[in-house]
Coordinates of all heavy atoms in Angstrom, one line a residue:
S29 N 5.1 6.6 6.9 CA 5.4 5.2 6.9 C 6.4 4.9 5.8 O 6.3 5.4 4.7 CB 4.2 4.3 6.8 OG 3.4 4.7 5.7
R55 N 12.4 27.3 3.9 CA 12.5 28.7 3.5 C 13.9 29.0 3.2 O 14.2 29.7 2.2 CB 12.0 29.5 4.6 CG 11.5 30.9 4.2 CD 10.8 31.6 5.4 NE 10.1 32.8 4.9 CZ 8.9 32.8 4.4 NH1 8.2 31.7 4.3 NH2 8.3 33.9 4.0
C70 N 20.3 27.4 -2.5 CA 20.5 26.0 -2.7 C 19.7 25.4 -3.8 O 20.1 24.7 -4.6 CB 20.1 25.2 -1.4 SG 20.8 25.8 0.2
D82 N 20.4 20.2 -11.4 CA 20.2 21.4 -12.2 C 20.2 21.3 -13.7 O 20.2 22.3 -14.4 CB 21.2 22.5 -11.7 CG 22.6 22.1 -12.1 OD1 22.8 20.9 -12.5 OD2 23.5 22.9 -11.9
T86 N 28.3 21.2 -14.8 CA 28.7 21.7 -13.5 C 28.1 23.1 -13.4 O 27.7 23.7 -14.4 CB 30.2 21.8 -13.3 OG1 30.7 22.6 -14.4 CG2 30.9 20.4 -13.4
G89 N 29.7 29.3 -9.7 CA 29.4 29.9 -8.4 C 29.3 31.4 -8.6 O 29.4 32.0 -9.6
A106 N 18.7 11.7 3.5 CA 18.7 11.4 4.9 C 19.4 10.1 5.3 O 20.0 10.0 6.4 CB 17.3 11.4 5.5
G144 N 28.6 37.6 10.0 CA 27.9 38.8 10.4 C 26.8 39.2 9.4 O 25.7 39.5 9.7
D153 N 14.7 40.3 9.0 CA 13.4 39.8 8.5 C 12.5 39.3 9.6 O 12.9 38.3 10.3 CB 13.7 38.7 7.5 CG 12.4 38.1 6.9 OD1 11.4 38.1 7.6 OD2 12.5 37.5 5.8
T177 N 22.3 25.6 9.3 CA 22.6 24.3 8.8 C 21.7 23.2 9.4 O 21.3 22.2 8.8 CB 24.1 23.9 8.9 OG1 24.4 24.0 10.3 CG2 25.0 24.8 8.1
A179 N 18.6 23.6 10.4 CA 17.3 23.7 9.8 C 17.3 23.1 8.4 O 16.4 22.4 8.0 CB 16.8 25.2 9.8
A193 N 7.5 3.3 -9.6 CA 6.9 2.1 -10.0 C 7.7 0.9 -9.4 O 7.1 -0.1 -8.9 CB 6.9 1.9 -11.5
P200 N 6.6 -2.2 -15.4 CA 6.2 -2.7 -16.7 C 7.1 -3.9 -17.2 O 8.2 -3.9 -16.7 CB 6.3 -1.5 -17.6 CG 6.5 -0.3 -16.7 CD 7.1 -0.8 -15.4
P201 N 6.6 -4.7 -18.1 CA 7.3 -5.9 -18.5 C 8.8 -5.6 -18.9 O 9.7 -6.3 -18.5 CB 6.5 -6.5 -19.7 CG 5.1 -5.9 -19.5 CD 5.2 -4.6 -18.8
L224 N 19.7 2.1 -4.1 CA 20.6 1.6 -5.2 C 22.0 2.3 -5.1 O 22.5 2.7 -6.1 CB 19.9 1.9 -6.6 CG 18.6 1.1 -6.6 CD1 17.4 2.1 -6.6 CD2 18.5 0.3 -7.9
T234 N 36.0 5.8 -14.7 CA 35.4 7.1 -15.2 C 36.4 8.3 -14.9 O 36.1 9.4 -15.3 CB 34.1 7.4 -14.6 OG1 34.2 7.3 -13.1 CG2 33.0 6.4 -15.0
T297 N 29.3 -6.1 -22.1 CA 29.0 -6.6 -23.4 C 27.8 -7.5 -23.5 O 27.5 -8.3 -22.6 CB 30.2 -7.4 -23.9 OG1 30.6 -8.4 -22.9 CG2 31.4 -6.6 -24.3
L308 N 15.7 1.6 -15.2 CA 16.1 2.9 -14.5 C 15.1 3.9 -14.6 O 14.9 4.7 -13.6 CB 17.4 3.3 -15.1 CG 18.6 2.4 -14.9 CD1 19.9 2.9 -15.6 CD2 18.9 2.1 -13.5
L311 N 12.5 4.0 -11.8 CA 12.9 4.5 -10.5 C 12.5 5.9 -10.3 O 12.8 6.6 -9.3 CB 14.4 4.4 -10.4 CG 15.0 3.0 -10.5 CD1 16.5 3.0 -10.6 CD2 14.6 2.1 -9.3

Side-chain angles (χ1 to χ4, degrees):
S29 51
R55 203 172 191 85
C70 307
D82 65 351
T86 61
D153 178 334
T177 57
L224 302 108
T234 54
T297 48
L308 296 178
L311 299 171

